[in-house]
Amino acid sequence: MQKILPNFIIAGVHKSGTTSLFHYLNQHPDVLASVDKETNFFIYPKYQKASRPIEEYYQQFEKYAGEKIIMEASPGYFYGGKAIAEVIKEKCNNPKILIILREPTARVISFFNRKREVFQLPESLTLQEYYKQCMNFTESELLMEKNHLYTGFEFGFYIKHIDDWFQTFGSNLKIMFFEDLTNPKKVMDELCDWLGIDKGFYENYDFKVQNKSVNYKNRMLQSVAVKVSFGAQRFWRNNPRLKSTLRGLYYKLNGVEAGKISHDANVKMTIQNMYGTYNKQLATYLREKGYSNLPAWLKE
């Protein structure tokens, strides 16, 4: 077994385009991706658990054949703060870290839609009911693994976590924004320059969104699709064209765009107001770190 560890990790955040970026980079000849996108190997400090055997992590990168970048993507790492950041830095010898941020109201709605889509939350649950349920948990309770389904809102307070990552990784940390993925070619050019790999690979690349949130028409068909998707993740990762073709056919047959799902406007306004002050603090912090080209939600 080759004992290779990643030198690049996408560490956050959920529903911000991490799956798409992981997929795009996985196609690049200079990049070796982990067998499983979300290994969550370093999540244990967050839940105060014992670490897993490092041999399990080595197995994620057994196919190493001299690639310049060895990568994994576990967006849950971001919320573990300094404890996770320091373990990653020590074990992986100070890798480069990418964190992708998304406007927190849109992110939590996408998170909520996704959890209902895969039956982890009740189909009948409304956004308002979910909001009330989440608000019943304390911040410390939301850091418990058993309550992970109710972290949707808490994990939109990015300013609470981001400084731990900057303090730990410094210039090896890069912040990008989900909103920039409307121009994926520009994002990938910037990322390739930062990673030191050939951006020419993406000159004529077909950028398709991965892991897009959708709703469904028929519950039974969706249940089967979820089982097939989660039960064979490695197979789909190794056969992206087949996955893309079958997914496209399935969306036409049983899909409804999540963006067309109606949620109470007053609840969305409440959520936006809740994040307002924290977004302002984040904008100030990022400007101090040299980030001047901020998305609209950090300028308002």
Side-chain angles (χ1 to χ4, degrees):
M1 181 190 304
Q2 296 196 68
K3 297 184 177 182
I4 300 298
L5 294 176
N7 55 15
F8 171 59
I9 295 176
I10 302 175
V13 302
H14 294 107
K15 304 307 295 178
S16 65
T18 61
T19 300
S20 291
L21 279 187
F22 182 88
H23 175 77
Y24 301 156
L25 285 166
N26 188 29
Q27 306 302 304
H28 197 291
D30 290 336
V31 176
L32 171 70
S34 53
V35 175
D36 300 307
K37 179 216 167 193
E38 297 185 30
T39 73
N40 285 318
F41 185 80
F42 297 111
I43 207 76
Y44 61 88
K46 175 181 171 182
Y47 298 128
Q48 298 181 345
K49 287 185 171 183
S51 61
R52 288 148 53 190
I54 192 67
E55 286 72 21
E56 289 185 19
Y57 205 40
Y58 291 144
Q59 290 173 6
Q60 292 286 336
F61 312 101
E62 281 185 316
K63 295 182 179 179
Y64 177 71
E67 291 87 353
K68 188 171 184 178
I69 297 297
I70 300 94
M71 166 188 72
E72 76 129 310
S74 297
Y77 288 161
F78 177 66
Y79 309 108
K82 200 169 189 65
I84 288 181
E86 289 182 341
V87 169
I88 289 175
K89 183 174 183 178
E90 176 190 353
K91 299 293 184 181
C92 297
N93 193 25
N94 197 26
K96 288 192 172 183
I97 301 292
L98 175 66
I99 293 170
I100 312 168
L101 301 178
R102 179 181 185 178
E103 193 280 310
T105 302
R107 191 209 66 83
V108 73
I109 290 174
S110 180
F111 178 87
F112 171 69
N113 289 339
R114 176 64 175 171
K115 295 305 179 183
R116 289 197 310 176
E117 173 196 337
V118 297
F119 309 114
Q120 292 179 9
L121 287 173
E123 299 170 78
S124 59
L125 188 68
T126 67
L127 182 61
Q128 182 176 19
E129 290 168 341
Y130 179 63
Y131 173 78
K132 289 179 179 178
Q133 289 179 8
C134 291
M135 293 302 109
N136 285 331
F137 289 91
T138 65
E139 187 173 341
S140 59
E141 287 174 336
L142 289 173
L143 291 177
M144 300 170 66
E145 188 173 15
K146 66 179 182 179
N147 297 326
H148 76 279
L149 285 175
Y150 301 95
T151 59
F153 294 94
E154 176 63 27
F155 286 174
F157 300 121
Y158 307 134
I159 190 62
K160 292 183 179 182
H161 311 281
I162 200 165
D163 189 56
D164 287 338
W165 292 88
F166 268 105
Q167 286 194 29
T168 304
F169 289 100
S171 61
N172 268 12
L173 175 68
K174 186 174 184 63
I175 305 295
M176 300 187 86
F177 301 97
F178 171 84
E179 292 76 14
D180 294 335
L181 284 169
T182 53
N183 187 346
K185 174 63 166 55
K186 182 179 179 181
V187 169
M188 295 311 296
D189 283 353
E190 180 182 342
L191 196 52
C192 285
D193 285 342
W194 186 59
L195 294 174
I197 57 178
D198 179 23
K199 61 186 177 185
F201 174 78
Y202 297 103
E203 196 60 41
N204 297 301
Y205 186 83
D206 183 15
F207 292 99
K208 291 184 178 179
V209 176
Q210 307 292 314
N211 200 29
K212 180 173 67 174
S213 292
V214 296
N215 207 350
Y216 51 87
K217 302 170 186 174
N218 183 281
R219 190 183 191 282
M220 184 176 293
L221 278 178
Q222 176 67 6
S223 178
V224 172
V226 168
K227 290 178 181 177
V228 171
S229 177
F230 282 107
Q233 290 188 50
R234 291 189 179 185
F235 174 80
W236 299 124
R237 190 75 65 196
N238 293 327
N239 296 274
R241 290 185 180 180
L242 177 61
K243 177 183 177 181
S244 179
T245 300
L246 293 177
R247 182 179 54 206
L249 292 172
Y250 176 74
Y251 284 170
K252 289 180 181 179
L253 175 67
N254 198 42
V256 176
E257 286 188 24
K260 295 182 180 179
I261 301 171
S262 178
H263 293 299
D264 186 275
N266 290 328
V267 177
K268 290 195 283 188
M269 182 62 69
T270 297
I271 298 169
Q272 288 174 341
N273 290 337
M274 177 181 70
Y275 286 128
T277 299
Y278 295 91
N279 289 345
K280 289 179 181 178
Q281 293 174 3
L282 178 64
T284 299
Y285 181 88
L286 290 175
R287 289 191 185 99
E288 291 174 351
K289 294 296 182 182
Y291 288 84
S292 57
N293 189 22
L294 302 178
W297 60 275
L298 286 174
K299 294 178 180 177
E300 296 172 353

